[in-house]
Amino acid sequence: MKRLYLFVLAATAVLSGAAPVAIASAAGAADALVSEFYSRFQKPGFHVDDLMVYYHPDIVFLDPTFEIRAEGKSEVRSLYAELGTERTAYKDIRWTIDSVISEGDHIVIRGRWSGRFHACDFDVEFMTLWRLKDGKIVEQNDFFAASAFDRQVGWDGETATCSS
């Protein structure tokens, strides 16, 4: 519990722009990596190249919800580059990390993903699974509460309105 509290404290500091808090635990490296990654993955101010430094050249990115499979840094970069464009219409993306579990080169991240999709606000749970190689993310599997997202957003493209 102490490790989780320290991580939440550190993540809150990083996400708010304050100086990061040092985490002293065996899993401290995983916590710091997750905190640093998600602090860079916020909208506005998100820059694709800020995230690419965390990925191994052989990255395989999977998102079963959207049936996405991207292989290699170039394909993953293209996915992230589309965030906030007309194609995806995500804005003000925020990540709140609730817990991080790590064992060896495997990391499980659980939290909340929030923001706007077109004109609709959303706030849903997510889980991400990472496998590291040489200290970089070589596998990433993303999952989120799709039914909650659909219920909250309910975007109607024809009328350009939210049904929620």
Side-chain angles (χ1 to χ4, degrees):
M1 187 63 161
K2 182 178 179 184
R3 184 177 78 80
L4 177 60
Y5 171 76
L6 288 173
F7 173 74
V8 170
L9 182 63
T12 301
V14 169
L15 294 176
S16 68
V21 175
I23 301 171
S25 72
D31 292 344
L33 175 65
V34 170
S35 179
E36 189 176 307
F37 178 90
Y38 282 98
S39 71
R40 293 175 182 237
F41 193 5
Q42 306 289 325
K43 280 279 193 186
F46 164 71
H47 298 286
V48 174
D49 291 329
D50 288 347
L51 287 184
M52 299 310 354
V53 300
Y54 297 95
Y55 287 104
H56 189 276
D58 299 328
I59 177 66
V60 175
F61 179 104
L62 301 169
D63 185 328
T65 306
F66 291 120
E67 299 179 339
I68 294 171
R69 180 181 180 93
E71 295 186 33
K73 285 176 86 168
S74 177
E75 287 186 19
V76 172
R77 187 183 192 295
S78 293
L79 283 175
Y80 285 129
E82 291 180 356
L83 289 175
T85 66
E86 271 305 306
R87 183 173 181 279
T88 63
Y90 290 109
K91 293 178 178 45
D92 302 323
I93 294 172
R94 295 285 180 249
W95 302 92
T96 304
I97 307 303
D98 294 331
S99 63
V100 175
I101 301 169
S102 64
E103 183 173 317
D105 287 338
H106 292 81
I107 301 174
V108 178
I109 304 146
R110 188 179 65 81
R112 300 199 69 79
W113 174 44
S114 61
R116 294 180 67 75
F117 179 74
H118 292 283
C120 312
D121 293 327
F122 68 89
D123 180 27
V124 297
E125 292 181 274
F126 82 92
M127 184 172 290
T128 294
L129 311 173
W130 285 347
R131 186 173 66 83
L132 305 179
K133 181 177 178 182
D134 303 325
K136 305 268 186 183
I137 305 164
V138 71
E139 289 180 19
Q140 179 169 332
N141 290 273
D142 286 348
F143 304 90
F144 74 98
S147 59
F149 179 86
D150 290 346
R151 202 171 40 256
Q152 291 174 25
V153 170
W155 177 251
D156 182 337
E158 286 188 30
T159 63
T161 61
C162 303
S163 64
S164 57

